[in-house]
């Protein structure tokens, strides 16, 4: 059975420009121990999906329909108190900005220990001892000395290690990492992602890795879901999506990144136009206005998601 | 007429670190750029790459004379501009322009696009007639792939990619010879990034521009550069032609950087050894003695900790390493 099963989920936000449908009827699952990468550009709905799983959509956001099953429990029906028991325990989240997602006035040791006190009823001394072990696990030098330090005393990479230690504290079944290394330098990025991957393999946790970086996806993901305009355009095992992309958007995305190996083209292939305005989405496929293979069928309605093989599916009516 | 547009020799930019509120005294300095030399031929693209704090942006600001130079020499188009200030520098400014990283904060939200693009013209060519001015703004919009009717709109009406086009149009207003692009495509989504990279390359071809391209993204740098200089803690550690640098990186830091970037290809990734990366970039306030990279270098020798290596010529490029 899947660890997490998202079925027909839609999320919208109330804004001055009217209701914005950020996520529309998506289906997604994550198996125990696997790394699923959710890829897309700004506004594609990838972060909103993560926030919906944790019920962190805020005042303006709401789940319009669908279910989110974690080990058989439908999180959409959970009360706020129930969700508080889930967050940081069964599911934890690693945010993009290690500068703003740690509390600046609380020592890092206490922040790492807190989930153990809240979820496991540990005493503070025990939890702090465990926090020291966690800091050691994420390869922070001199973990004992670091416990009493404040976030501003640590580098960006070290802060992100603290975030990972915090996320791991209660041995969650699922870790959601939203652009965990986008704010970091490349050498630090490589260290952090290798660490995250190693720890998920060790603890058997599943990982949802939200990113716009197709290199990161290629190195770390088992399976990939490509999002655009609030919908899932294509999903497949990682090798398959790079070797045999079936959606025109996936293909466009792949070819528009300049390559680090292979021949250098004079011009980069581009996807013309701009991403859709989700306050006024196109009637059919959200990618239709930019698609090189667009036909009248594309604007008649949203293309249904179809499985081409048991593990490879796409939402496209094209036959090119 | 020499083919060299810009020549930078032993450039140093140090920022004082002071202590004390009432009586402030200097207690040290941050050596943001510490002995950087390079030259730029007309029509080529030199990229400065490196991680945060390596001094790539400070180098650019010093070249533009937006910062005071501590030591060294900057010769632009045959003129020594190292110590030019104010009015003396002004005649040279139109020839060197900058495209900034953030398309949101680099455009004044209260100004219409016409005034943003036209501001350099008003400052440097105050005698131009209104008709000439309007015509030039329309030309510039067209040049960067925007419509002339967009001149009356405000920045918030544009997407990130379109705003970056406005920033480029503003930089081109005075027909510069040198364009400095400081992380000019880093904030954009990949599909938009590709459009802007193509635009920059078309403009270089059509207008004969010379680029100093600053980026941390090696795949973008590989695509646009003629030559590449890799910086680490205020110094250039390796500089070579694009193809030679990627085919045969000689400095251990260059090798580390290249290994750290994942390839967008799972088959190749599976065969690649996982990068071995030691530690993090140290603070520029206390750079390590000897070779600045030695605490993170897997191949460091005892002498690396004490003696700073001198640049060595290797092939068409140079590398600053005892091992190379």
């Amino acid at each position: 059975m899947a660890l997490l099963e998202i079925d027909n989920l839609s999320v919208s936000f109330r804004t001055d420009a009217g209701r914005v449908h950020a996520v529309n009827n998506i289906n997604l699952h994550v198996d125990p121990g696997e790394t699923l990468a959710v890829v897309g550009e700004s506004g594609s709905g990838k972060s909103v999906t993560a926030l919906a799983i944790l019920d962190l959509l805020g005042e303006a956001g709401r789940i319009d329909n669908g279910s989110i099953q974690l080990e058989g429990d439908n999180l959409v029906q959970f009360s706020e108190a129930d969700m508080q028991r889930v967050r940081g325990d069964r599911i934890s989240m690693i945010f993009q900005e290690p500068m703003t997602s740690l509390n600046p006035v609380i020592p890092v040791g206490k922040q790492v220990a807190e989930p153990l006190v809240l979820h496991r009823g540990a005493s503070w001394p025990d939890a702090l001892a465990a926090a020291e072990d966690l800091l050691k696990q994420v390869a922070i030098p001199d973990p004992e000395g670091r416990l009493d330090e404040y976030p501003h005393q640590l580098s960006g990479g070290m802060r992100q290690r603290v975030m990972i230690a915090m996320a791991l504290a209660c041995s969650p079944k699922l870790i959601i990492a939203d652009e965990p290394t986008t704010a970091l330098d490349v050498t630090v990025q490589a260290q952090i992602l290798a660490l995250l991957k190693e720890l998920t393999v060790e603890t058997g946790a599943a990982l949802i890795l939200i990113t716009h970086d197709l290199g990161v996806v290629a190195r770390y993901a088992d399976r990939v879901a490509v999002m655009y305009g609030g919908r899932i355009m294509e999903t497949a095992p990682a090798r398959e999506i790079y070797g045999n992309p079936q959606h025109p958007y996936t293909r466009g995305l792949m070819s528009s990144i300049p390559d680090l190996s292979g021949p250098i083209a004079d011009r980069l292939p581009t996807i013309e136009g701009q991403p859709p305005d989700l306050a006024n989405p196109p009637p059919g496929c959200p990618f239709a206005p930019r698609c090189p293979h667009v036909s009248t069928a594309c604007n008649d309605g949203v293309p249904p998601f179809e499985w081409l093989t048991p593990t490879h599916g796409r939402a496209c009516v094209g036959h090119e | 007429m020499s083919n060299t547009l810009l020549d930078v020799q032993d450039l140093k930019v140090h920022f004082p670190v002071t202590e004390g509120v009432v009586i402030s005294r200097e207690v040290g300095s941050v050596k943001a750029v510490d002995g950087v030399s390079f030259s730029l031929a007309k029509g080529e693209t030199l990229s400065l790459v490196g991680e945060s704090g390596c001094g790539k942006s400070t180098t650019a600001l010093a070249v533009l004379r937006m910062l005071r130079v501590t030591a060294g020499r900057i010769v632009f188009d045959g003129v020594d501009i190292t110590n030019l200030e104010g009015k003396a520098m002004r005649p040279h400014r139109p020839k060197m322009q900058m495209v900034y990283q953030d398309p949101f904060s680099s455009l004044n939200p209260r100004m219409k696009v016409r005034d943003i693009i036209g501001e350099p013209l008003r400052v440097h060519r105050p005698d131009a007639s209104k008709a000439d001015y309007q015509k030039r703004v329309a030309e510039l919009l067209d040049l960067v792939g925007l419509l002339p009717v967009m001149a009356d709109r405000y920045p918030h009406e544009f997407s990130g990619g379109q705003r970056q086009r406005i920033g480029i149009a503003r930089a081109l207003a005075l027909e510069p010879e040198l364009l400095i692009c400081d992380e000019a495509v880093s904030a954009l989504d990949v599909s938009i990034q590709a459009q802007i990279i193509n635009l920059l390359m078309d403009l270089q071809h059509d207008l004969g521009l010379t680029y100093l391209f600053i980026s941390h993204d090696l795949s973008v740098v590989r695509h646009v550069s003629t030559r590449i200089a890799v910086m680490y803690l205020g110094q250039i550690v390796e500089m070579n032609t694009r193809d030679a640098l990627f085919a045969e990186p000689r400095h251990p830091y260059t090798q580390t950087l290249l290994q750290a970037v994942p390839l967008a290809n799972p088959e190749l990734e599976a065969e690649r050894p996982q990068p071995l990366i030691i530690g993090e970039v140290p603070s520029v306030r206390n750079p390590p003695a000897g070779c600045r990279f030695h605490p993170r270098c897997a191949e460091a020798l005892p002498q690396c900790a004490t003696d700073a290596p001198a640049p060595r010529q290797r092939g068409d490029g140079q590398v600053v390493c005892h091992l190379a």
Side-chain angles (χ1 to χ4, degrees), chain A residues 41-42 155 157-158 161 185-191 194 214-216 218-220 238-239 242 253 256-262 264-274 290, chain B residues 51-52 159 162 189-195 197-198 202 218-220 222-223 242 246 256-257 259-270 272 274-275 277-280 296:
Chain A
E41 301 179 86
S42 327
S155 68
M158 286 299 151
R161 286 173 196 267
D185 279 322
V186 276
T187 60
V188 181
Q189 161 175 298
Q191 292 171 336
L214 290 166
V216 166
R219 188 178 280 179
Y220 300 102
R239 281 188 180 226
Y242 286 84
L253 198 60
S256 56
I257 17 169
D259 212 341
L260 250 194
S261 59
I264 300 167
D266 271 353
R267 290 180 68 81
L268 288 168
T270 60
I271 306 174
E272 289 309 319
Q274 308 287 337
R290 301 175 77 187
Chain B
E51 301 180 271
S52 331
S159 67
Q162 288 174 323
D189 275 322
V190 277
S191 72
I192 306 301
Q193 177 178 291
Q195 296 173 1
I197 291 172
N198 283 344
D202 290 346
L218 288 164
S219 50
V220 170
R222 179 170 182 263
H223 190 81
R242 183 253 317 265
F246 276 93
T256 303
L257 265 187
Q259 280 172 8
V261 184
L263 303 175
N265 182 329
E267 317 249 331
L268 292 177
E269 266 304 322
R272 262 177 125 198
Q274 281 286 313
I277 298 165
I278 307 166
E280 293 183 14
R296 303 179 72 196

Side-chain angles (χ1 to χ4, degrees), chain B residues 19-180:
Chain B
E19 260 177 23
V21 182
V22 183
I23 305 162
S24 148
R25 64 198 167 90
E26 213 173 303
V27 291
S29 63
V30 172
K31 296 178 171 138
V33 176
D34 205 22
V36 162
S37 303
F38 62 88
S39 70
L40 205 50
K42 281 180 183 157
E44 77 165 341
T45 300
L46 174 71
S47 289
L48 300 180
V49 302
E51 301 180 271
S52 331
C54 72
K56 50 192 196 299
S57 293
T58 307
T59 302
L61 292 176
V63 167
L64 287 167
R65 295 294 295 104
M66 287 158 79
L67 285 176
R68 199 176 283 269
V69 173
T70 309
R73 215 165 101 90
I74 303 169
V75 177
F76 180 78
D77 213 8
V79 181
D80 186 336
I81 59 166
T82 319
N83 296 306
L84 294 187
E85 301 282 348
K87 271 203 176 127
M89 183 61 203
R90 189 168 286 179
H92 304 286
R93 294 207 184 275
K95 289 184 262 176
M96 40 168 81
Q97 293 287 316
M98 176 105 154
V99 179
Y100 295 89
Q101 169 169 7
D102 185 346
F104 292 86
S105 61
S106 59
L107 303 179
N108 187 334
R110 291 160 183 262
M111 281 166 80
K112 285 184 178 172
V113 167
R114 172 191 316 287
D115 300 322
I116 291 173
I117 296 178
E119 191 172 28
L121 297 169
R122 278 204 314 279
V123 173
H124 286 280
R125 295 182 193 164
D127 303 334
S129 71
K130 194 165 180 201
D132 284 351
Y133 172 86
Q134 305 280 28
K135 189 168 151 253
R136 180 69 183 144
V137 169
E139 261 173 30
L140 287 163
L141 283 169
D142 183 55
L143 197 59
V144 297
L146 296 173
L147 300 172
V149 294
M150 294 173 172
D152 288 316
R153 295 193 196 158
Y154 288 93
H156 76 265
E157 297 174 75
F158 294 88
S159 67
Q162 288 174 323
R163 284 175 196 223
Q164 206 57 320
R165 290 176 193 265
I166 296 169
I168 293 169
R170 175 177 60 186
L172 293 175
L174 297 167
E175 298 163 77
E177 293 181 54
L178 173 67
L179 205 58
I180 298 184

Side-chain angles (χ1 to χ4, degrees), chain A residues 142-294:
Chain A
D142 180 27
E144 197 189 345
R146 295 289 184 181
L147 284 177
D148 294 327
E149 289 192 359
Y150 290 87
H152 76 267
Q153 293 170 290
L154 306 177
S155 68
M158 286 299 151
R159 284 181 227 185
Q160 204 54 309
R161 286 173 196 267
V162 169
M163 285 290 295
I164 294 173
M166 218 193 298
L168 289 171
C170 292
S171 315
K173 296 280 171 52
L174 173 66
I175 299 172
I176 303 174
D178 187 359
E179 304 271 9
T181 57
T182 305
L184 304 175
D185 279 322
V186 276
T187 60
V188 181
Q189 161 175 298
Q191 292 171 336
I192 295 287
L193 288 172
L195 173 74
L196 195 56
K197 184 79 185 177
E198 186 189 309
L199 292 171
T200 52
V201 169
E202 252 170 48
T203 61
L207 177 65
I208 297 181
L209 183 63
I210 294 171
T211 181
H212 68 282
D213 186 329
L214 290 166
V216 166
V217 174
R219 188 178 280 179
Y220 300 102
D222 301 316
R223 219 150 48 76
V224 182
V226 180
M227 289 191 74
Y228 185 82
R231 295 180 187 274
I232 293 179
M233 297 278 115
E234 182 167 6
T235 168
R239 281 188 180 226
E240 184 78 22
I241 209 136
Y242 286 84
N244 184 24
Q246 287 297 322
H247 196 288
Y249 175 63
T250 314
R251 282 202 289 265
L253 198 60
M254 297 278 177
S255 59
S256 56
I257 17 169
D259 212 341
L260 250 194
S261 59
I264 300 167
D266 271 353
R267 290 180 68 81
L268 288 168
T270 60
I271 306 174
E272 289 309 319
Q274 308 287 337
D277 171 8
L278 293 180
N280 291 301
C285 171
F287 187 59
R290 301 175 77 187
C291 183
H293 306 291
V294 65

